Amino acid sequence: MYGARIRELRKRRGWTMKQLGQRLELAESTISGYENEIRRPDMDALLRFAELFDVTVDYLLGREGVAPDVPTPTPPQPETLRERATPYYAAIWDGKIESLTEEEAAHLRNSLEMFRLWQANRRPSDAE
């Protein structure tokens, strides 16, 4: 029973036997032995599995029938990342990056907008 439980918990997290072994500092062959019930984990190993998977030793041994839900990790949404990001303003002059304050960045943005409007409204004869 413990082998099937370890395999189930490992797969629910999307881990390979090698990845699980690395987390517990065990060889991949040891994990395979436990999952196939060729080897029996000692008490220390059972406790480490239980702690890692956030289950009880009784669950691993088949004495409890239900494992706790393992939430599927969801990547943060782009808008969430954007909300958390600290704004950083910079400009490049002569190949060097120069940090700007928020006020300086707003001024440059406004100036650029005005320049682009001016340029768009110029007559072709003004360009010469």
Side-chain angles (χ1 to χ4, degrees), residues 6-15 35 53:
I6 292 170
R7 179 179 290 118
E8 171 204 351
L9 292 166
R10 174 182 60 78
K11 286 186 172 185
R12 284 171 67 182
R13 284 163 178 75
W15 297 340
E35 287 189 4
F53 290 130

Side-chain angles (χ1 to χ4, degrees), residues 33-87:
Y34 292 158
E35 287 189 4
N36 293 306
E37 297 192 18
I38 296 167
R39 299 181 67 161
R40 289 185 182 184
D42 61 17
M43 185 54 71
D44 182 57
L46 283 171
L47 289 170
R48 290 168 52 202
F49 278 113
E51 186 176 310
L52 177 66
F53 290 130
D54 196 27
V55 296
T56 63
V57 171
D58 281 343
Y59 174 78
L60 291 174
L61 295 175
R63 295 180 183 187
E64 292 178 1
V66 182
D69 286 333
V70 176
T72 305
T74 54
Q77 300 301 314
E79 58 273 3
T80 305
L81 292 174
R82 203 172 295 118
E83 289 170 3
R84 287 191 221 158
T86 302

